[in-house]
């Protein structure tokens, strides 16, 4: 009996020593691994997600999240399918469209909506005669083929009474900054995009977007619209709700840190993209937090949450504008159950002073 005890003790001690000597990456192999498709390449607006990796917030939740670079907020949404991806960070309008075209309760679902206002815009030169949406009739606009503002122009036109058939929309693969230069030079009348992205894209060209451009912002005419959201596939949602909840908690923690000190998130970005322009990305990050995440609704329900009545109006608007086959319920589009506790919710964003 004594021999058995000594043997058992020896085996247990050896296993403990082995575990302590194992490389950290081997121990981390026990973590659950998922793949998330971002709406953009590694850049300022998603830097807080990179910070969640670097500060170990995801690892603390037992998660290893591979953040894949994407090609547009609307474009990435239909690409998020199992087994290629487990979730995405993209446009709410596009998500509603995918859900409405899926069987009931089989499509993806939003769990953390950071953009509590929509950032879509049409930029025109400051001296342009275009001052109201109706002034766009008979004009020529350009944008990337997958640009979310271009893809939702039908909704903007409907809300503002524009005869969209009189507007020429050119889908151009040319870089956004060059598209804006074309508008300033009179080759086109306006450019689709996000306000902060447009301003950042022309900063390196010696153009002050805040002074040399005027913006017709969708949010002024479509207040029910939400922008970017973190969403997951139905498979991830059903298989691992604790993993979804942990992912939301980790990204929320990192976003709170970023709001306190944006430079820490840009540090995480620069580690991965040392050749990128730090000042431009800091501007995009601060502008995203201040404007796209800064809707007053955040103070009431918390950034990441959604107002059910507002979301219901948005769903109805998207379904009608896109002539979709069915109207999903609010619960099918967004699940409040994965949000952080009230005490951990972010309520406000600082008034950043960007350098561009």
């Amino acid at each position: 009996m004594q021999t058995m005890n000594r043997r058992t003790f020896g085996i247990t001690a050896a296993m403990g020593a082995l575990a302590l000597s194992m490389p950290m990456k081997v121990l981390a192999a026990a973590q659950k691994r998922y793949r998330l498709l971002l709406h953009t390449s590694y850049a300022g607006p998603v830097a807080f997600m990179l910070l969640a990796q670097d500060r170990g917030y995801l690892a603390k939740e037992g998660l290893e999240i591979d953040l894949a670079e994407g090609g547009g907020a609307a474009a990435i949404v239909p690409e998020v399918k199992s087994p290629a991806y487990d979730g995405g960070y993209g446009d709410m309008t596009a998500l509603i469209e995918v859900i409405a075209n899926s069987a009931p309760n089989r499509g993806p679902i939003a769990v953390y909506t950071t953009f509590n206002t929509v950032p879509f815009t049409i930029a025109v030169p400051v001296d342009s005669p275009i001052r109201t949406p109706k002034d766009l009739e008979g004009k020529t606009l350009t944008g990337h083929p997958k640009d979310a503002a271009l893809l939702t122009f039908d909704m903007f036109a409907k809300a503002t009474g524009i005869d969209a058939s009189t507007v020429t929309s050119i889908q151009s693969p040319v870089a956004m900054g060059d598209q804006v230069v074309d508008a300033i030079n009179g080759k086109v009348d306006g450019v689709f995009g996000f306000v902060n992205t447009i301003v950042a894209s022309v900063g390196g060209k010696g153009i002050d977007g805040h002074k040399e451009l005027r913006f017709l912002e969708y949010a002024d005419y479509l207040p029910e619209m939400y922008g970017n959201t973190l969403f997951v596939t139905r498979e991830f949602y059903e298989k691992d709700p604790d993993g979804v909840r942990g992912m939301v908690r980790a990204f929320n923690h990192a976003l709170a840190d970023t709001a306190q000190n944006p430079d820490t998130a840009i540090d995480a970005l620069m580690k991965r993209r040392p050749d990128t322009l730090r000042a431009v990305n800091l501007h995009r990050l601060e502008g995203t937090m201040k404007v796209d995440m800064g809707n007053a609704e955040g103070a009431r329900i918390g950034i990441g949450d959604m107002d059910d009545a507002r979301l219901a109006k948005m769903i109805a608007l998207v379904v009608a504008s896109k002539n979709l086959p069915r109207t999903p319920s609010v619960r099918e589009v967004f699940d409040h159950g994965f949000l952080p506790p009230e005490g951990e919710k972010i309520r406000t964003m600082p008034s950043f002073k960007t350098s561009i």
Side-chain angles (χ1 to χ4, degrees):
M1 192 71 175
Q2 290 178 344
T3 303
M4 287 290 293
N5 287 339
R6 286 196 298 271
R7 182 178 300 153
T8 302
F9 175 81
I11 293 173
T12 302
M15 290 178 66
L18 178 61
L20 290 173
S21 67
M22 291 172 72
M24 186 63 72
K25 64 181 180 180
V26 175
L27 292 174
Q31 293 183 318
K32 292 176 288 189
R33 185 170 186 175
Y34 294 106
R35 197 156 191 251
L36 188 73
L37 183 60
L38 303 176
H39 77 288
T40 182
S41 58
Y42 287 173
V46 295
F48 74 96
M49 294 178 148
L50 306 177
L51 185 65
Q53 289 181 325
D54 287 4
R55 291 200 164 172
Y57 297 155
L58 290 164
K60 182 180 178 182
E61 301 292 343
L63 299 170
E64 184 178 348
I65 305 293
D66 176 17
L67 299 174
E69 298 174 283
I76 67 102
V77 175
E79 296 177 19
V80 176
K81 298 177 182 178
S82 182
Y85 299 103
D86 304 289
Y89 185 56
D91 176 50
M92 177 58 73
T93 297
L95 182 65
I96 293 170
E97 191 169 356
V98 169
I99 294 171
N101 281 305
S102 302
N105 296 307
R106 298 318 309 157
I109 187 166
V111 292
Y112 183 70
T113 303
T114 54
F115 283 25
N116 47 26
T117 189
V118 69
F120 310 155
T121 193
I122 298 169
V124 301
V126 71
D127 58 358
S128 167
I130 300 172
R131 295 185 174 276
T132 69
K134 287 290 284 184
D135 295 333
L136 293 170
E137 293 182 346
K139 302 299 191 293
T140 299
L141 308 176
T142 186
H144 191 276
K146 297 181 179 179
D147 185 86
L150 187 154
L151 295 176
T152 55
F153 180 64
D154 53 351
M155 297 170 61
F156 181 76
K158 184 173 182 178
T160 57
I162 298 172
D163 182 353
S165 68
T166 68
V167 181
T168 300
S169 297
I170 301 174
Q171 298 185 6
S172 172
V174 175
M176 180 173 287
D178 294 327
Q179 292 179 17
V180 176
V181 171
D182 285 345
I184 291 174
N185 291 335
K187 294 182 179 180
V188 295
D189 297 298
V191 179
F192 292 104
F194 288 13
V195 174
N196 293 305
T197 304
I198 289 174
V199 172
S201 73
V202 296
K205 297 179 178 294
I207 298 171
D208 186 334
H210 295 296
K211 294 180 180 179
E212 298 184 49
L213 299 172
R214 187 185 311 115
F215 298 95
L216 299 177
E217 299 187 41
Y218 285 32
D220 292 336
Y221 305 94
L222 292 162
E224 55 271 273
M225 290 184 71
Y226 287 90
N228 271 19
T229 186
L230 178 66
F231 65 97
V232 295
T233 63
R234 186 62 55 166
E235 291 84 356
F236 187 10
Y237 176 78
E238 293 178 346
K239 179 182 70 174
D240 188 11
D242 288 339
V244 175
R245 188 170 292 106
M247 181 174 65
V248 170
R249 187 162 44 234
F251 285 142
N252 182 76
H253 192 171
L255 182 58
D257 289 354
T258 301
Q260 292 298 314
N261 186 358
D263 277 300
T264 59
I266 297 300
D267 288 341
L269 170 63
M270 298 304 295
K271 283 174 56 178
R272 296 161 175 81
R273 295 289 182 270
D275 296 331
T276 196
L277 297 174
R278 184 183 184 98
V280 169
N281 281 283
L282 178 61
H283 168 81
R284 290 186 65 191
L285 173 60
E286 292 182 342
T288 294
M289 289 191 291
K290 179 181 178 180
V291 179
D292 305 333
M293 302 180 185
N295 188 291
E297 180 181 278
R300 179 170 61 85
I301 62 176
I303 296 170
D305 202 352
M306 302 181 80
D307 180 270
D308 284 352
R310 181 181 166 193
L311 177 56
K313 291 179 181 179
M314 181 180 180
I315 293 170
L317 175 65
V318 174
V319 170
S321 299
K322 305 291 185 183
N323 194 27
L324 299 177
R326 67 184 186 88
T327 302
S329 67
V330 166
R331 178 63 180 77
E332 188 182 354
V333 172
F334 180 74
D335 190 338
H336 298 267
F338 297 95
L339 295 170
E342 288 298 317
E344 296 176 17
K345 286 184 178 180
I346 304 166
R347 300 286 178 178
T348 60
M349 284 292 173
S351 297
F352 300 108
K353 293 183 179 180
T354 56
S355 58
I356 295 178

